[in-house]
Amino acid sequence: MDRNTIIGLVMIGLILSVFTIYNQPTEEEIRKQQQELALKEKRESEKEAKNKVDAKKPEKAEQKSDATTVAAVNEGGNGSLVFLENDKLKIYFSTKGGQVSAVYLKEYKTYEDYKNKKENPMRLFAEGDAVNQLVIPLKDKTIRTSNYVFNISEKSDNAIEFSADLGDGKTVTQRYELDKGKYEIDYRVGMKGFGGQVDPKNVLLNWDVAYRKTERLFSEQRRVSTICMNYDKEGFDYLSEMGNDDSEAEDKVNWVAFKQSYFSSILRPENGFSKEGTEFKVKTYDEGHDRSWSHLKDFKSSLNPGFSNVSDASVSFNWYFGPNDYEVLRSYNKEYDEILNFGWGLFRWINVYAVQPLFNFLVDSGLSLGLAILLLTLIIKLILVPVQWKMFVSSAKMRIMKPAIDELNAKYPEKDDAMKKQMEMMTLYRESGASPLSGCLPMLIQMPILLAVFRFFPAAFELRQKSFLWAEDLSSYDSIWDFGVYIWPYGDHMSLFTLLMAGTTLVYTVMNSGNMQQPQQPGMPNMKVIMYIFPIMMIFFFNNYSSGLSYYYFISTLISILIMVLIKNFFVDEEKLKLKMAERKAANTANPKEKKKSKFQEKLEQMQKMQQEQMKNRKKK
């Protein structure tokens, strides 16, 4: 590393340090943020407690009245709550709009409840966070059913039906059924008496949701949240995860999913949503917004349910509220598992057809998650042993060739002799049986697996709230030291698995540093310096990532180091390899006609001749 490089790195370090100190919030700002967050949490707790009390009122009122009697209602009023539940879900409905008001998943907890060992069901969204309403455009006004108080026209242990008389014989009904052992409800919407007053194609269903925070790292949960849709012809598509985005339907839509990191709501109509009028929008919250610390994003959709008529017709839906668990989603046979971000193309195939089945087998066998990841890593590395063997032999040959290559570099120091140097170098490689490209193919084989796993572990539902060693939740970062203050660009904590991963990567880099060729041209970057900087960059990049992912990379690199040591000390004798290469070179030198020149070498010779002719012509001028 030269003086200029050292000065540059020191300057960068100083700039980052000054920037961190300058942007560090003051104690007064920190106290203000903490007070605001505490106040918001208090309001949410009070609101949730009120919801639980109000939820019991419709049940008592219903026992005193005839549930089959439908009374006319006027626009306005606050409505009340009633709920259905099974062993997996507890769903609150509001008579204001006859809509889904809140959803709780009984088998899961928020990170805060998991950390504090509380047995509360996980709240996916609460009252005021969601809307599902019909939008009916009449000649003189537009009816939005969320503005009307519905009567409970039918109620049983697993079903509830809401009905609203809108006057002049116009009625709207909404029926929900929840069976045991399921994450979904059956939802049916009916219309009567609107014939001649509205075109069925113009009746839309609005579905909006604002998810609540449920995971440890709010920024990561928000980052991967978006709207997904499955088109009848074009297949799976989604809106951007990075910021605000919107889209109009390109085709008939088979289903729509409001997806976050580990849970989703998926609305699937019986016959698909029509293209006309169907659109989607996802919106992030600006800093200072009332929901910026409690909700992920605003998911909004306007869907055309495709009513056949409005005189007396209904449409049916299936509504999933549950985990982004690959096996659960796949069991519906509706391509729901496409919402899992396993990567695209080859990377997704590797995860879906290799990594996921193998990981499921290990987890289903009763192993702990940490041990399952260890065995998964070991199996993958054993499969790739021939690849690593090939890479090691190639690197050993290049080490043996290094003195001869250095001689050629010294023999042809000028740029004008670059073609001659390249020709002699190719001849040297061919005669010795070595190639600088022979290690590239094995690396290309390993790279898709490396990148596929990078997508797999952050999306693997199995890791959620599973502990291992010091990591309390493998789906999130493993902090061994919380700083209490944010340090840019590192964060507010120290992840041990990330440090171990970076450490083993640095050791592996040092072990392979002898194979790196130094740049001969001035101004070219020093590859050794770049490779040494990479493990340091990983500390910053992976500090907030899933500890399961960092653990996998740590174990994978550690096994690679052990395999390399075993190959070097017990399976590959570099002295014998050196002797074998020397014998091959001698044989090729003694019988040069036995080995034909490659097409690449022939083209290289032609280019050299052309270059020499051009040089002669320049000298003549």
Side-chain angles (χ1 to χ4, degrees):
M1 189 182 299
D2 60 19
R3 185 182 64 180
N4 292 335
T5 304
I6 295 173
I7 294 173
L9 293 175
V10 171
M11 290 297 295
I12 291 172
L14 288 173
I15 291 170
L16 292 178
S17 300
V18 172
F19 187 82
T20 299
I21 296 171
Y22 180 77
N23 286 274
Q24 182 174 321
T26 64
E27 293 184 4
E28 183 179 350
E29 290 174 334
I30 293 172
R31 283 197 300 270
K32 185 178 179 181
Q33 290 177 357
Q34 291 174 343
Q35 290 172 357
E36 290 177 353
L37 185 58
L39 182 60
K40 288 180 180 180
E41 290 178 348
K42 182 180 178 182
R43 289 174 180 171
E44 293 295 336
S45 299
E46 291 175 350
K47 188 174 181 180
E48 184 176 352
K50 182 179 181 298
N51 289 345
K52 290 182 178 179
V53 173
D54 292 344
K56 299 178 181 179
K57 294 179 181 178
E59 295 288 336
K60 294 179 181 179
E62 187 183 343
Q63 293 173 2
K64 297 179 181 178
S65 62
D66 184 359
T68 60
T69 301
V70 181
V73 295
N74 297 320
E75 186 173 1
N78 295 321
S80 56
L81 297 179
V82 64
F83 66 86
L84 294 175
E85 65 179 329
N86 62 10
D87 53 327
K88 297 185 181 296
L89 298 174
K90 187 171 186 178
I91 304 178
Y92 288 88
F93 305 90
S94 175
T95 56
K96 180 68 177 293
Q99 59 188 331
V100 176
S101 179
V103 172
Y104 291 79
L105 282 78
K106 293 184 174 182
E107 298 174 313
Y108 305 103
K109 308 175 187 177
T110 63
Y111 172 76
E112 292 301 322
D113 286 341
Y114 167 74
K115 181 181 179 180
N116 297 316
K117 298 182 179 179
K118 294 182 179 180
E119 296 301 324
N120 299 320
M122 194 199 76
R123 177 181 59 187
L124 194 60
F125 55 85
E127 185 181 11
D129 295 338
V131 173
N132 60 284
Q133 64 172 350
L134 285 183
V135 179
I136 308 170
L138 300 178
K139 294 180 180 179
D140 55 343
K141 67 175 182 178
T142 298
I143 293 177
R144 300 178 185 275
T145 57
S146 63
N147 295 328
Y148 291 79
V149 176
F150 282 62
N151 280 343
I152 300 174
S153 56
E154 181 183 338
K155 177 71 166 65
S156 64
D157 290 340
N158 71 322
I160 186 169
E161 183 173 291
F162 299 94
S163 178
D165 187 340
L166 306 181
D168 298 328
K170 296 189 288 291
T171 62
V172 174
T173 59
Q174 298 189 84
R175 180 180 177 83
Y176 305 88
E177 293 185 18
L178 177 63
D179 294 328
K180 293 181 179 180
K182 292 186 177 181
Y183 287 110
E184 76 272 14
I185 59 174
D186 291 324
Y187 173 41
R188 188 175 76 240
V189 182
M191 296 178 63
K192 286 185 179 180
F194 289 87
Q197 302 181 54
V198 61
D199 188 337
K201 295 181 180 179
N202 295 331
V203 178
L204 300 177
L205 174 68
N206 280 4
W207 176 33
D208 305 338
V209 171
Y211 282 131
R212 296 294 180 109
K213 173 186 176 182
T214 59
E215 307 307 314
R216 182 180 192 177
L217 190 59
F218 195 21
S219 60
E220 180 65 16
Q221 186 183 9
R222 174 177 283 166
R223 186 185 66 81
V224 299
S225 300
T226 190
I227 297 177
C228 305
M229 65 288 297
N230 185 277
Y231 289 112
D232 189 52
K233 295 180 181 178
E234 299 297 326
F236 180 76
D237 198 3
Y238 60 95
L239 299 185
S240 171
E241 296 177 339
M242 304 307 294
N244 299 335
D245 197 11
D246 59 80
S247 174
E248 295 181 356
E250 302 173 358
D251 185 17
K252 187 173 91 169
V253 180
N254 294 326
W255 50 257
V256 179
F258 290 174
K259 173 239 177 187
Q260 50 143 307
S261 52
Y262 291 110
F263 298 92
S264 292
S265 304
I266 305 175
L267 185 61
R268 176 172 55 84
E270 185 176 14
N271 297 311
F273 293 116
S274 300
K275 174 183 176 180
E276 294 76 14
T278 296
E279 54 188 27
F280 317 97
K281 183 177 183 180
V282 60
K283 184 178 180 181
T284 58
Y285 301 111
D286 297 328
E287 187 176 351
H289 193 282
D290 290 341
R291 289 183 168 184
S292 60
W293 286 94
S294 57
H295 295 68
L296 299 179
K297 295 177 182 177
D298 268 344
F299 299 87
K300 297 181 180 295
S301 63
S302 181
L303 310 167
N304 189 332
F307 276 98
S308 58
N309 68 81
V310 290
S311 298
D312 186 4
S314 64
V315 289
S316 298
F317 310 87
N318 183 269
W319 213 340
Y320 174 87
F321 301 105
N324 294 342
D325 186 312
Y326 175 77
E327 293 297 327
V328 173
L329 295 174
R330 194 181 66 165
S331 66
Y332 289 90
N333 199 29
K334 299 294 182 182
E335 298 183 342
Y336 286 173
D337 57 290
E338 291 284 347
I339 69 174
L340 299 178
N341 192 355
F342 281 162
W344 54 272
L346 177 62
F347 309 121
R348 184 175 184 85
W349 298 340
I350 291 172
N351 282 326
V352 170
Y353 298 111
V355 179
Q356 181 73 60
L358 181 56
F359 188 60
N360 283 346
F361 172 78
L362 295 172
V363 172
D364 293 342
S365 64
L367 298 173
S368 68
L369 262 295
L371 188 55
I373 294 174
L374 174 62
L375 291 178
L376 174 70
T377 311
L378 184 60
I379 292 171
I380 292 175
K381 296 305 292 185
L382 288 176
I383 293 174
L384 293 175
V385 162
V387 175
Q388 193 159 356
W389 175 289
K390 182 70 175 176
M391 289 177 63
F392 181 82
V393 172
S394 175
S395 64
K397 288 182 178 181
M398 292 306 297
R399 280 196 300 272
I400 294 170
M401 295 285 295
K402 191 174 183 302
I405 294 172
D406 291 340
E407 288 181 7
L408 283 176
N409 290 328
K411 182 179 178 181
Y412 300 105
E414 302 296 331
K415 287 184 179 181
D416 295 340
D417 297 326
M419 196 67 69
K420 291 181 180 179
K421 181 175 70 174
Q422 190 65 32
M423 283 291 299
E424 291 195 26
M425 200 171 288
M426 292 298 296
T427 302
L428 184 63
Y429 286 142
R430 178 174 56 84
E431 292 177 347
S432 302
S435 171
L437 301 178
S438 60
C440 294
L441 181 59
M443 178 59 72
L444 290 175
I445 294 173
Q446 289 191 97
M447 192 58 68
I449 298 175
L450 189 71
L451 296 177
V453 172
F454 178 77
R455 284 295 188 183
F456 174 77
F457 281 108
F461 185 83
E462 293 85 353
L463 269 62
R464 185 179 186 269
Q465 295 180 0
K466 294 297 189 296
S467 61
F468 178 66
L469 299 177
W470 57 84
E472 61 180 5
D473 185 353
L474 285 171
S475 69
S476 184
Y477 59 84
D478 57 310
S479 175
I480 59 169
W481 182 16
D482 292 324
F483 305 146
V485 62
Y486 183 82
I487 301 174
W488 187 90
Y490 187 55
D492 60 358
H493 63 275
M494 180 182 292
S495 299
L496 183 53
F497 274 132
T498 300
L499 294 177
L500 292 173
M501 174 189 64
T504 52
T505 303
L506 183 60
V507 171
Y508 188 75
T509 301
V510 171
M511 293 177 66
N512 287 278
S513 61
N515 306 325
M516 299 178 193
Q517 299 296 321
Q518 297 299 320
Q520 302 300 318
Q521 293 79 16
M524 292 295 289
N526 190 319
M527 290 304 297
K528 283 189 177 182
V529 174
I530 294 175
M531 293 304 293
Y532 289 149
I533 291 176
F534 179 69
I536 298 174
M537 293 174 59
M538 293 173 70
I539 295 175
F540 298 92
F541 186 73
F542 282 87
N543 196 51
N544 281 335
Y545 266 66
S546 159
S547 54
L549 178 65
S550 300
Y551 170 57
Y552 169 84
Y553 281 148
F554 161 58
I555 295 297
S556 178
T557 309
L558 185 61
I559 293 174
S560 294
I561 292 172
L562 294 175
I563 291 175
M564 182 178 293
V565 170
L566 290 174
I567 292 174
K568 181 177 181 179
N569 293 298
F570 298 100
F571 298 100
V572 176
D573 189 331
E574 290 195 21
E575 291 300 322
K576 290 183 178 179
L577 183 61
K578 184 176 181 179
L579 181 61
K580 186 176 180 180
M581 291 175 64
E583 291 175 351
R584 175 170 177 168
K585 182 180 178 182
N588 287 329
T589 303
N591 301 287
K593 294 183 179 180
E594 291 183 5
K595 187 78 173 181
K596 291 185 178 180
K597 294 179 182 179
S598 65
K599 291 183 179 180
F600 177 74
Q601 192 170 7
E602 290 176 353
K603 289 183 179 179
L604 205 60
E605 288 179 349
Q606 291 176 3
M607 291 173 63
Q608 183 184 13
K609 291 178 181 179
M610 290 175 62
Q611 187 184 39
Q612 290 174 349
E613 290 178 2
Q614 290 174 358
M615 291 293 293
K616 290 179 181 178
N617 293 333
R618 288 177 187 173
K619 290 178 180 179
K620 289 179 181 180
K621 292 179 182 179

